[in-house]
Amino acid sequence: MSNDIYPSRQEQTASLTLRKDPVLYSEKTENAPLTANLLDQFEEQGYMLLADLFSPQEVATFSEAIKMLQQDDAVRQTPQAVTEADNGLLRSVFQIHQNHPLFANVAKDERITDIARFILGGDIYIHQSRLNFKPGLKGKEFYWHSDFETWHVEDGMPRMRALSCSIFLTDNNAKNGALMLMPGSHKEYLSCIGETPKDHYLQSLKQQTFGIPDDDSLHHLADKYGIDCAEAKAGSVLFFDCNTMHGSNSNITPDPRSNLFFVFNHIDNKVTDPFCTRAPRPEFIATRKNITAL
Ligand code: 6CS
Ligand code: FE
């Protein structure tokens, strides 16, 4: 691919190269919406966890809304819904910032957008939004990956200037499948082996088998950076860089784990043609047409 500074899924061997983009796109001044300590954390580890950003009342409202979605058979029939391969339970619902008034408002909430704008250094829009459900006893894992690798290859996101904001709708802990992250892994780019299959998203959003790191590279990264677990109460918010290596275990505890995700991308980093030979993924997974700055 021409002009591809982050090639992946093109070779038979994996390669680890240095990140070519900043992590923090603003100066750490006194006017920053976060303390220098938190900004350092984000820059060095590739994530930060902010406890109790949303109140218990707000979390209760969100929980009511997700219960309705989970109980609604019509939701499961929409293209935006991703169900588990084996039990048909709802795994994710995409594009909720467009299709759900309550969550559309959360997407614009300045408690999160001010932070995203600061880290990414200017105007932002939503590249992707989704709810991820991991119901008690039945919730399935998300295998290790860098989001940027997928967004670059399959969506055509040119540079690392995006981040995920995960709002915890239930308590997240090591037992119920909280997100695990490798602190510092965002500073290196790991290319993956193998080509992208046609209509890959129909499979990958249920269980990803292409665009995942090879075993040797994961051993290497885990030895080098270690693995942290984002444990916090409902209402807390995890911000993580688009290239931080992360994944999560299944949930065999009785307690559900539900999280709301917004992916903010800088307005100058809009997606182009994908960096693979496949057609772009649908708008409900990767915003291409409906780009409005928040
Ligand atoms: O393919 C994607 O865009 C998504 N897949 C994963 C496993 N994480 C990020 C994103 O939702
Ligand atoms: Fe991810």
Side-chain angles (χ1 to χ4, degrees):
M1 278 312 117
S2 59
N3 292 328
D4 187 355
I5 63 163
Y6 292 117
S8 182
R9 308 188 202 177
Q10 295 177 28
E11 306 289 338
Q12 293 309 307
T13 52
S15 67
L16 206 49
T17 49
L18 278 182
R19 179 189 183 108
K20 297 179 174 66
D21 297 304
V23 178
L24 181 61
Y25 281 83
S26 294
E27 298 294 326
K28 292 174 205 158
T29 60
E30 278 165 18
N31 301 327
L34 292 168
T35 63
N37 187 26
L38 281 168
L39 291 171
D40 286 346
Q41 248 183 57
F42 189 85
E43 217 174 6
E44 285 310 305
Q45 305 189 331
Y47 57 88
M48 64 183 174
L49 192 49
L50 305 181
D52 308 322
L53 212 60
F54 289 87
S55 71
Q57 291 74 24
E58 289 175 302
V59 171
T61 315
F62 301 160
S63 301
E64 267 312 302
I66 62 172
K67 211 183 292 165
M68 305 274 279
L69 289 174
Q70 282 174 300
Q71 287 167 354
D72 188 346
D73 282 336
V75 170
R76 263 200 295 282
Q77 308 303 322
T78 61
Q80 285 85 353
V82 178
T83 52
E84 296 291 358
D86 58 352
N87 56 27
L89 289 176
L90 203 53
R91 175 175 171 88
S92 306
V93 181
F94 280 78
Q95 209 183 25
I96 35 129
H97 72 292
Q98 294 279 341
N99 304 330
H100 196 292
L102 174 67
F103 295 126
N105 271 330
V106 184
K108 290 182 269 186
D109 192 299
E110 288 182 352
R111 283 170 288 183
I112 56 175
T113 54
D114 281 353
I115 293 172
R117 245 181 246 114
F118 185 81
I119 291 174
L120 301 175
D123 282 338
I124 52 171
Y125 71 95
I126 292 183
H127 171 67
Q128 181 184 89
S129 70
R130 65 192 191 276
L131 285 159
N132 278 353
F133 301 105
K134 250 189 218 181
L137 307 177
K138 310 239 185 272
K140 293 286 185 309
E141 75 276 4
F142 290 80
Y143 196 66
W144 290 108
H145 63 281
S146 144
D147 293 328
F148 179 77
E149 194 275 342
T150 297
W151 299 336
H152 181 68
V153 174
E154 298 194 24
D155 300 336
M157 184 183 283
R159 310 293 295 231
M160 294 181 188
R161 199 172 185 179
L163 58 78
S164 284
C165 168
S166 173
I167 301 169
F168 295 2
L169 303 182
T170 62
D171 293 353
N172 278 225
N173 57 56
K175 295 175 191 163
N176 73 357
L179 201 70
M180 298 183 287
L181 309 105
M182 298 191 189
S185 59
H186 63 305
K187 294 178 185 171
E188 298 189 77
Y189 179 67
L190 177 63
S191 70
C192 299
I193 303 168
E195 282 177 61
T196 310
K198 187 169 181 287
D199 292 333
H200 182 220
Y201 71 95
L202 294 172
Q203 163 66 31
S204 68
L205 300 177
K206 290 177 187 279
Q207 189 184 40
Q208 197 161 351
T209 47
F210 293 89
I212 53 164
D214 60 292
D215 294 2
D216 287 346
S217 300
L218 282 175
H219 279 289
H220 169 79
L221 290 175
D223 284 347
K224 185 167 177 183
Y225 296 114
I227 295 174
D228 192 7
C229 184
E231 293 186 278
K233 294 248 170 291
S236 304
V237 178
L238 173 74
F239 287 87
F240 60 104
D241 177 79
C242 59
N243 189 45
T244 307
M245 189 59 70
H246 64 282
S248 64
N249 285 319
S250 69
N251 180 16
I252 61 166
T253 73
D255 306 319
R257 188 214 72 153
S258 308
N259 292 340
L260 168 59
F261 282 83
F262 297 111
V263 176
F264 298 110
N265 189 24
H266 192 275
I267 202 92
D268 294 344
N269 195 37
K270 290 190 228 359
V271 297
T272 61
D273 288 340
F275 290 93
C276 66
T277 54
R278 300 298 179 193
R281 301 197 294 179
E283 182 80 11
F284 66 83
I285 303 176
T287 308
R288 186 170 295 277
K289 296 194 200 88
N290 213 337
I291 294 178
T292 30
L294 293 169

